[in-house]
Amino acid sequence: HSILEYACGSKYGGGMRARFSTLTDDEIIESFRNLQKPSSGLAEAGRSRHVLDFIYGVNLSRALAQSFKAGNRGYRNLSIGRVQGPALAFAADRELEIRLHVPDPYWVVTADFEKNGQTIHARYKEPQVGTLAEAQKIVGDCAGRDGMVNNVDVRKVTLAPPAPFNTGELQREAYRLFRVAPGYALAIAEKLYLRALISYPRTASQKLPASINYNKILSGLAGSASYSRHASVLLSRDRLVPHEGPGTDPAHPAIYPTGLQGRLSGLEFKIYDLIVRRFLATFGDTAAAERTEVAIDMQGRTFIVEGRVTLYDGWMAFYRPYVNLEQS
């Protein structure tokens, strides 16, 4: 915007915009075949960010460095920005809250029952017992006694497919599964993007528009031994409709694989595999399980046994080994 507007004599309005979310040859060529008119709203948003970066970031960073120098008789380069500053404030407030927290002690009572040579683990009906004396009394009343089943509740539960990844969800899932720090997970995703293996990873969107061409991506994935079976299952369907989340982003869709293949290192492959399987899972069916809760009475006290059995894998078949409904 600035180059066209100021260096080229107010030519921004006459320019055209190439818009793409992946660095594949096909999408870049297609974006130049279908150039779009410039967006004054996006231009002003960019200008606003630059102004805020200067007012908030440049000036306050200088002030911080000068304050440190004045108070410590030395110089240290300190920075703050329109995103960095508020994020640091949230982290500092949360850390202070954690340090000031005074925990309330509680006790958990569990029991093991034996039936037909099998050990059955149960928990006391109250997840938390407030005092040690009460917990000891429960154990004293029940230790060595027989229990009687007094209620069995069987219910069918369902779990809808997951939404596709946006930046935050990818970072959270990468940390949950691989203990990869959010910044490092994003750095890996950006490498995958630059190699044209995934779409642009900095997005708030949880939408997969049909314009990304589901069939083309799945056809590309079908050429990989790791994904051929699942991709072929989806390609055999008459209609492909992804399960989407509420997140939107005017600039980019949710994160998705391009279908292209490449050699990857261990951690790079883990992040790539996670993105691919999440993409596949969004097209899966709702999963179903049978949940059983058994109440066992012992000396007037109730213990609970829970179990869950998968009835229909649905989308989980595409997302394993990253999910298990029986552990959900």
Side-chain angles (χ1 to χ4, degrees):
H1 170 267
S2 296
I3 293 174
L4 290 173
E5 191 67 19
Y6 301 115
C8 299
S10 300
K11 295 294 179 64
Y12 177 72
M16 299 296 288
R17 180 168 174 250
R19 182 175 180 178
F20 48 87
S21 291
T22 71
L23 295 180
T24 61
D25 292 346
D26 288 346
E27 184 165 350
I28 292 175
I29 292 171
E30 187 65 21
S31 69
F32 276 89
R33 284 176 178 168
N34 297 277
L35 294 173
Q36 302 176 8
K37 291 183 178 180
S39 169
S40 59
L42 289 177
E44 290 304 318
R47 188 201 301 269
S48 299
R49 288 194 296 271
H50 289 315
V51 171
L52 285 173
D53 284 336
F54 181 80
I55 296 175
Y56 197 112
V58 176
N59 289 300
L60 288 183
S61 295
R62 175 68 173 169
L64 280 176
Q66 290 295 100
S67 297
F68 184 86
K69 181 179 179 180
N72 296 273
R73 296 183 180 180
Y75 179 79
R76 185 170 181 179
N77 187 23
L78 299 174
S79 67
I80 191 169
R82 58 184 170 84
V83 176
Q84 179 186 5
L88 179 60
F90 285 132
D93 289 344
R94 181 58 176 163
E95 179 63 25
L96 184 60
E97 182 181 341
I98 291 171
R99 293 185 181 185
L100 294 177
H101 174 68
V102 179
D104 294 325
Y106 65 88
W107 285 259
V108 176
V109 180
T110 61
D112 288 340
F113 297 92
E114 186 177 338
K115 177 69 174 179
N116 297 332
Q118 289 189 326
T119 300
I120 300 170
H121 302 286
R123 60 171 177 81
Y124 188 55
K125 65 176 183 179
E126 299 294 338
Q128 300 178 3
V129 178
T131 65
L132 176 60
E134 183 182 359
Q136 290 175 331
K137 186 174 190 314
I138 295 170
V139 173
D141 290 344
C142 300
R145 308 278 184 154
D146 292 333
M148 177 72 68
V149 173
N150 61 16
N151 186 59
V152 177
D153 180 29
V154 180
R155 287 182 290 170
K156 182 180 178 180
V157 295
T158 58
L159 189 62
F165 282 134
N166 57 19
T167 304
E169 284 301 313
L170 173 61
Q171 291 172 314
R172 279 187 283 273
E173 195 77 334
Y175 183 79
R176 178 182 74 87
L177 294 166
F178 313 129
R179 288 297 183 263
V180 176
Y184 192 34
L186 182 57
I188 294 173
E190 288 175 338
K191 287 183 179 180
L192 298 175
Y193 165 69
L194 292 175
R195 295 180 62 180
L197 298 179
I198 67 169
S199 63
Y200 189 64
R202 290 179 178 268
T203 176
S205 176
Q206 293 176 300
K207 311 290 186 185
L208 291 174
S211 60
I212 69 174
N213 198 335
Y214 310 141
N215 282 282
K216 185 175 181 179
I217 295 171
L218 292 171
S219 296
L221 294 174
S224 167
S226 300
Y227 313 115
S228 59
R229 182 167 63 89
H230 293 319
S232 298
V233 168
L234 294 177
L235 284 169
S236 67
R237 297 185 175 182
D238 295 332
R239 188 164 173 258
L240 290 172
V241 180
H243 180 78
E244 299 179 320
T248 60
D249 189 319
H252 298 283
I255 303 170
Y256 62 89
T258 63
L260 300 181
Q261 307 299 317
R263 294 178 63 86
L264 299 170
S265 66
L267 195 52
E268 289 173 346
F269 177 77
K270 286 183 177 181
I271 300 297
Y272 175 75
D273 186 62
L274 180 62
I275 292 170
V276 171
R277 295 188 185 279
R278 182 66 162 241
F279 172 78
L280 296 172
T282 63
F283 294 97
D285 300 326
T286 297
E290 185 177 80
R291 179 181 177 276
T292 302
E293 182 177 288
V294 178
I296 301 175
D297 181 77
M298 188 163 48
Q299 297 299 109
R301 300 185 180 276
T302 302
F303 286 79
I304 304 296
V305 179
E306 295 177 312
R308 187 174 291 187
V309 177
T310 302
L311 299 176
Y312 177 56
D313 284 346
W315 61 268
M316 291 194 307
F318 301 99
Y319 201 42
R320 286 198 176 103
Y322 305 127
V323 70
N324 187 340
L325 186 57
E326 295 175 18
Q327 298 174 350
S328 302

